[in-house]
């Protein structure tokens, strides 16, 4: 696991990976990816190892086998139940056959799943989830039953809420008592949060795009150096003197540097590009929570207006001493109780979101610092290796050049 992902295993909340016996701990390792099945039915399974001293886990260690869809099940359940909390993102699911079973893709996904489940396990609220315990403790047959029972609201994915969010934004006003009333929440702090998240997503996506290009450039340069090295070595075999030997060494150095470039490209992918991509996904998860807040606000406002209409109707019934008054009063009281509950839910989301934003910003500062430090360190080491390799060849190439210019010397 790379440096950022060691930090990011509990990104948005820290959790020790080397627990002590005194403090409460819950740590998870996603290991040993293995291909199961063949053809379109093939998938990757993972060994999920949980170590904890939480009493509800009934033992210090538990090992289960999970597949990607199990992680999706856990993410969706948490998203539905913990409104206002930023649910950690999952890596996207590749549908391209040649990529989804490549060693590099499998390892990237394994690390991302490890980061996901440790973020959940280290979150002070999410670690109490019954669904997390089910995921970490139950056998494969139980998990399969849990997935198959998913219906209704649990089938809705966070991505679906992004469309809802757009719909909420587009509906800028309702006509209530002849007066336009904004449906969108107008709160300066909330607007500031939204603008920050939207701008952050754009900037992270742009940085990740260029990180991808850096990885690609390193790989292409590495391949070019490898091809060049082979060609120069073959050229050296045509020469029987010191020039031939120099060419052979030049080719060998080129091939050696090619390997270093390929290794640095892989390191750059794992410690820089993937963490940036992970934070793009994290911001998208935050936007899903923002969408939920917008829905809660809209529901609260709409019910408040319904109560106002009901109160007007109720006053009319009281004036006319209608026989429908008793039923109307009961309905009115029930609506008021529902209104209080919707208001409470909305206020809870607001409170949790404020806490989550602060925690997210704090962890992002740490993780981005690690990522860019790893990037700079890797580039510095690579540049040093390249400079030293070429520098070691200069005396021999200069000697050959001098010999060619002064063959009688």
């Amino acid at each position: 696991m790379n440096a950022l992902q060691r930090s990011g295993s509990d990104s948005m909340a820290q959790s020790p990976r080397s627990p002590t016996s005194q403090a409460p701990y819950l740590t998870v390792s996603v290991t040993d990816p293995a291909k199961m099945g063949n053809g379109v039915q093939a998938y990757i399974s993972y060994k999920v190892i949980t170590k904890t001293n939480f009493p509800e886990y009934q033992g210090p260690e538990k090992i289960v086998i999970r597949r990607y869809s199990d992680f999706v099940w856990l993410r969706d359940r948490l998203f539905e139940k913990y409104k206002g909390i930023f649910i950690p993102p999952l890596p996207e699911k590749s549908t391209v056959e040649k990529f989804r079973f490549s060693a590099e893709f499998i390892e990237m996904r394994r690390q991302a799943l490890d980061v996901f489940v440790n973020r959940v396990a280290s979150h002070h609220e999410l670690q109490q989830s019954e669904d997390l315990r089910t995921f970490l403790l139950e056998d494969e047959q139980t998990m399969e039953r849990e997935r198959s029972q998913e219906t209704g609201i649990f089938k809705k994915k966070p991505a679906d809420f992004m469309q809802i969010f757009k719909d909420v934004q587009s509906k800028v006003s309702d006509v209530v008592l002849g007066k336009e009333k904004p449906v969108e929440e107008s709160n300066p702090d909330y607007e500031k949060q939204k603008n920050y998240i939207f701008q952050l997503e754009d900037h992270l996506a742009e940085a990740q795009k260029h990180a991808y290009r850096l990885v690609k450039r390193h790989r292409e340069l590495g391949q070019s150096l490898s091809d060049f090295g082979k060609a120069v070595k073959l050229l050296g075999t045509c020469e029987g003197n010191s020039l031939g030997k120099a060419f052979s060494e030049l080719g060998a150095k080129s091939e050696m540097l090619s390997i270093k470039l390929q290794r640095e490209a892989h390191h750059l992918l794992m410690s820089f590009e993937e963490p940036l991509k992970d934070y793009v996904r994290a911001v998208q998860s935050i936007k899903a929570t923002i969408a939920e807040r917008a829905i809660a606000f809209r529901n609260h406002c709409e019910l408040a207006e319904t109560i106002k209409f009901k109160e007007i109707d109720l006053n009319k019934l009281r004036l006319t001493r209608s026989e429908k008054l008793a039923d109307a009063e009961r309905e009115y009281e029930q609506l008021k109780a529902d209104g209080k509950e919707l208001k409470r839910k909305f206020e809870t989301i607001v409170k949790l979101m404020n806490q989550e934003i602060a925690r997210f910003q704090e962890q992002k500062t740490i993780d981005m610092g690690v990522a860019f430090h790893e990037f700079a360190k890797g580039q510095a080491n690579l540049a040093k290796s390249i400079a030293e390799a070429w520098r070691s060849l200069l005396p021999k190439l200069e000697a050959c050049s001098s010999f060619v210019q002064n063959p009688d010397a």
Side-chain angles (χ1 to χ4, degrees):
M1 183 178 290
N2 63 65
L4 174 57
Q5 286 166 320
R6 284 195 297 271
S7 172
S9 293
D10 21 69
S11 218
M12 298 193 259
Q14 291 291 316
S15 176
R17 298 303 293 263
S18 299
T20 65
S21 58
Q22 292 79 19
Y25 66 87
L26 175 62
T27 63
V28 187
S29 298
V30 179
T31 66
D32 300 342
K35 184 178 179 181
M36 310 294 290
N38 297 299
V40 294
Q41 300 298 322
Y43 64 92
I44 301 296
S45 70
Y46 305 87
K47 184 184 293 184
V48 179
I49 306 171
T50 302
K51 295 183 179 181
T52 183
N53 60 2
F54 285 13
E56 58 267 34
Y57 279 78
Q58 301 177 348
E61 182 173 296
K62 179 69 175 180
I63 300 176
V64 296
I65 302 298
R66 294 290 179 257
R67 55 188 296 181
Y68 180 78
S69 55
D70 295 323
F71 290 86
V72 173
W73 174 87
L74 176 60
R75 190 272 316 276
D76 290 350
R77 298 281 290 195
L78 294 174
F79 182 84
E80 182 59 37
K81 293 183 177 181
Y82 290 87
K83 303 301 184 184
I85 291 177
F86 300 157
I87 305 304
L90 283 171
E92 59 272 10
K93 184 173 183 178
S94 175
T95 56
V96 182
E97 185 74 19
K98 68 177 181 178
F99 292 131
R100 71 188 184 108
F101 292 123
S102 69
E104 185 173 75
F105 177 80
I106 290 172
E107 175 57 16
M108 284 193 299
R109 169 168 286 184
R110 183 204 65 76
Q111 290 191 9
L113 294 176
D114 186 277
V115 168
F116 161 78
V117 74
N118 275 283
R119 282 174 172 168
V120 173
S122 63
H123 193 285
H124 65 286
E125 292 280 349
L126 300 181
Q127 66 180 203
Q128 306 299 325
S129 166
E130 292 182 8
D131 295 313
L132 176 62
R133 287 198 290 276
T134 296
F135 176 85
L136 295 176
L137 298 179
E138 298 297 339
D139 57 34
E140 295 171 70
Q141 291 74 27
T142 302
M143 277 304 307
E144 187 173 356
R145 285 197 302 272
E146 290 288 341
R147 293 199 316 271
S148 66
Q149 290 171 3
E150 294 282 296
T151 57
I153 56 176
F154 291 121
K155 284 295 185 183
K156 191 178 290 294
K157 304 297 187 291
D160 298 332
F161 290 100
M162 299 317 299
Q163 184 58 47
I164 296 174
F165 182 57
K166 292 177 182 177
D167 294 341
V168 171
Q169 285 184 310
S170 65
K171 187 182 179 185
V172 294
S173 64
D174 282 337
V175 178
V176 179
L177 300 175
K179 182 180 180 181
E180 290 191 350
K181 182 178 180 64
V183 172
E184 179 77 11
E185 182 182 354
S186 56
N187 179 304
D189 290 337
Y190 178 50
E191 289 298 322
K192 185 177 179 180
Q193 285 180 351
K194 286 197 301 182
N195 290 335
Y196 164 72
I197 291 300
F198 294 151
Q199 289 180 17
L200 180 63
E201 181 183 31
D202 291 341
H203 297 328
L204 283 171
E206 186 70 12
Q208 187 267 320
K209 179 178 70 175
H210 290 292
Y212 166 79
R213 290 175 178 172
L214 280 170
V215 172
K216 184 179 179 182
R217 177 177 174 274
H218 278 58
R219 285 179 167 163
E220 290 174 346
L221 181 56
Q223 185 59 52
S224 296
L225 271 174
S226 176
D227 296 340
F228 173 72
K230 290 181 176 66
V232 172
K233 285 171 74 175
L234 289 173
L235 181 60
T237 60
C238 298
E239 304 288 341
N241 51 24
S242 59
L243 184 61
K245 185 177 180 181
F247 280 175
S248 295
E249 290 190 26
L250 177 60
K253 290 287 185 184
S254 297
E255 291 179 326
M256 180 270 289
L257 289 176
S258 168
I259 295 173
K260 285 184 177 293
L261 275 161
Q262 296 291 358
R263 287 176 179 170
E264 178 56 26
H266 181 74
H267 177 260
L268 197 60
L269 172 67
M270 293 298 190
S271 65
F272 191 58
E273 184 195 349
E274 276 301 304
L276 286 173
K277 188 185 296 184
D278 178 67
Y279 259 90
V280 172
R281 294 191 294 259
V283 169
Q284 291 169 351
S285 292
I286 294 173
K287 288 175 69 177
T289 302
I290 291 175
E292 284 288 273
R293 174 170 172 166
I295 293 169
F297 178 78
R298 181 185 65 187
N299 291 340
H300 165 58
C301 290
E302 289 178 350
L303 186 55
E305 296 305 328
T306 300
I307 291 172
K308 287 182 180 179
F309 280 122
K310 185 60 65 175
E311 187 174 4
I312 293 171
D313 292 340
L314 189 61
N315 289 332
K316 290 179 180 178
L317 292 173
R318 284 170 178 159
L319 289 173
T320 60
R321 300 181 183 275
S322 171
E323 60 183 17
K324 298 179 181 180
L325 179 60
D327 290 338
E329 286 179 335
R330 282 193 295 271
E331 184 180 355
Y332 176 68
E333 291 301 320
Q334 182 59 53
L335 283 174
K336 285 206 301 183
D338 292 342
K340 287 181 180 179
E341 179 60 17
L342 285 180
K343 182 180 180 181
R344 185 195 65 78
K345 288 181 178 179
F346 170 69
E347 290 175 346
T348 299
I349 290 176
V350 171
K351 179 182 177 181
L352 288 173
M353 267 195 64
N354 290 337
Q355 296 172 354
E356 293 285 287
I357 282 284
R359 192 165 55 85
F360 170 79
Q361 290 174 319
E362 180 181 350
Q363 191 61 49
K364 176 178 61 64
T365 299
I366 296 171
D367 288 347
M368 290 298 100
V370 172
F372 281 92
H373 177 265
E374 286 294 305
F375 166 72
K377 184 173 69 174
Q379 294 299 293
N381 290 337
L382 179 63
K384 182 179 178 181
S385 296
I386 292 174
E388 289 176 350
W390 294 137
R391 191 177 294 114
S392 67
L393 279 176
L394 288 178
K396 295 176 182 178
L397 293 174
E398 286 173 355
C400 291
S401 176
S402 298
F403 177 80
V404 171
Q405 292 176 8
N406 303 287
D408 297 328

